[in-house]
Amino acid sequence: MVHLEANVNQPLDVKRIGIFLAFAFGIAWSVGLIIYLSGGIANSPALIPGTQTTLALVLIAVGYMWAPGLAHILTRWVTGEGWQGMRLAPRLKKGWVYWLAAWVLPALLTLAGVAVFFAIFPRYFDPSFSVIRSMLPAGQELPFSPMIIILLQLLQAILISPLVNSLFTLGEELGWRAYLLPKLMPLGGRKAMLILGVIWGVWHWPVIAMGHNYGLNYAGAPWLGMLAMVWFTLVIGIFLGWASLRGGSVWPAVIGHAAINGIAGIGALMVQGQPNPLLGPLPTGLVASAAWSALALWLFLSPKALRPEEEASLTPA
């Protein structure tokens, strides 16, 4: 059985970290360039007429998101590192609680963040849920309350999205949490999480610059959106890193990342007007990420949370 071993007494493998980052950024940013040259995100051609399946959407899901996973594989291959310790063993018997946390907490934390956002900015809450009504053909009315749609969306995000989205988030997590995080652990869990969070955020910059997550209709676009993305990857990266380290496997991070992607848009169903996307209601906003930030701070300050399971169980607080 492969364990996520404690690496704090090992030297930092600068060479392999550099090669991995060159692959992860090189592949992803090349895909980003293709997206930009083909019209960007906003004007990307539709692959299926009459749908929202655009070239940019497919390239982001398949090419961009899988770049870190491919970087992991390529780095092992070109450096002769071998294939041991890829962190793919599920370890469900010991790590099931982290699987469960990764599956459920994203929905709870995202909903809490939405509640904080609308509590601070109540003018943006739409009690008539006009966004949902606008999705219907002209003149058609819902046969039930729009709240039912939100509840169904919530159930789908909790029960189905973590499975479906895992096909894509595995590509990122196979790189970030299964390869780069263990390589950074000689620095200690806290430094490793901070460095990885910044790297992960910067890696997103080309698509953020094209309007991903924040659009481009805000003051300081796209630069402030790029910085806000770094904050978001820092706080959720600590959660995903904790789940992976303590669960002894990459799979809690894969599930957690997939769950985050599945629930992220719930706040947009309740909004009216034009709130600043840097603030919310999506969890990528600074205010709407409040619950995520609180959890990240608690994990960051906890003596054992950001250590591998084996080390945490052996080392006194």
Side-chain angles (χ1 to χ4, degrees), residues 123-176:
R123 67 184 181 277
Y124 292 123
F125 177 71
D126 181 11
S128 67
F129 302 105
S130 57
V131 171
I132 295 175
R133 297 182 188 278
S134 69
M135 298 176 183
L136 298 173
Q140 183 174 336
E141 291 293 329
L142 276 172
F144 42 75
S145 169
M147 186 58 71
I148 300 296
I149 300 293
I150 293 177
L151 291 176
L152 290 174
Q153 180 72 17
L154 181 59
L155 286 174
Q156 179 268 337
I158 294 174
L159 299 177
I160 300 175
S161 290
L163 296 175
V164 176
N165 291 345
S166 289
L167 296 173
F168 308 103
T169 58
L170 174 60
E172 286 198 51
E173 297 308 321
L174 188 61
W176 304 131

Side-chain angles (χ1 to χ4, degrees), residues 2-292:
V2 176
H3 292 265
L4 201 60
E5 69 272 5
N7 288 336
V8 291
N9 294 320
Q10 299 178 10
L12 195 67
D13 195 340
V14 176
K15 176 183 176 180
R16 287 193 172 97
I17 290 173
I19 292 172
F20 167 81
L21 291 176
F23 279 130
F25 277 78
I27 296 170
W29 286 19
S30 295
V31 172
L33 179 60
I34 294 172
I35 294 172
Y36 174 75
L37 294 176
S38 60
I41 293 176
N43 299 308
S44 182
L47 296 181
I48 303 176
T51 71
Q52 295 183 344
T53 305
T54 64
L55 176 63
L57 178 65
V58 173
L59 287 176
I60 289 173
V62 178
Y64 211 101
M65 292 182 70
W66 263 94
L70 292 175
H72 179 169
I73 294 168
L74 289 170
T75 302
R76 286 180 177 273
W77 178 56
V78 301
T79 64
E81 186 173 355
W83 306 103
Q84 297 298 315
M86 291 192 65
R87 282 70 184 180
L88 289 173
R91 298 195 67 204
L92 264 173
K93 187 175 181 180
K94 284 189 174 182
W96 67 268
V97 67
Y98 302 102
W99 284 66
L100 181 62
W103 201 300
V104 175
L105 282 180
L108 299 179
L109 293 168
T110 299
L111 287 174
V114 169
V116 170
F117 176 81
F118 286 129
I120 295 176
F121 304 105
R123 67 184 181 277
Y124 292 123
F125 177 71
D126 181 11
S128 67
F129 302 105
S130 57
V131 171
I132 295 175
R133 297 182 188 278
S134 69
M135 298 176 183
L136 298 173
Q140 183 174 336
E141 291 293 329
L142 276 172
F144 42 75
S145 169
M147 186 58 71
I148 300 296
I149 300 293
I150 293 177
L151 291 176
L152 290 174
Q153 180 72 17
L154 181 59
L155 286 174
Q156 179 268 337
I158 294 174
L159 299 177
I160 300 175
S161 290
L163 296 175
V164 176
N165 291 345
S166 289
L167 296 173
F168 308 103
T169 58
L170 174 60
E172 286 198 51
E173 297 308 321
L174 188 61
W176 304 131
R177 253 60 64 174
Y179 192 79
L180 185 55
L181 177 58
K183 285 286 189 286
L184 293 174
M185 284 303 288
L187 299 173
R190 291 170 178 166
K191 287 183 180 178
M193 294 294 177
L194 292 176
I195 292 171
L196 177 51
V198 172
I199 289 172
W200 190 23
V202 172
W203 176 83
H204 282 89
W205 278 3
V207 289
I208 301 299
M210 288 185 276
H212 184 61
N213 285 341
Y214 301 96
L216 295 171
N217 188 26
Y218 58 91
W223 308 107
L224 293 183
M226 294 158 71
L227 294 176
M229 190 63 193
V230 172
W231 174 257
F232 182 63
T233 53
L234 271 171
V235 296
I236 69 166
I238 289 173
F239 167 72
L240 296 175
W242 163 79
S244 180
L245 284 174
R246 299 309 305 275
S249 169
V250 71
W251 288 106
V254 172
I255 293 295
H257 191 166
I260 292 166
N261 287 358
I263 195 64
I266 195 77
L269 299 177
M270 313 173 195
V271 75
Q272 64 180 352
Q274 296 293 327
N276 189 327
L278 298 178
L279 303 177
L282 302 187
T284 47
L286 298 178
V287 173
S289 66
W292 283 106

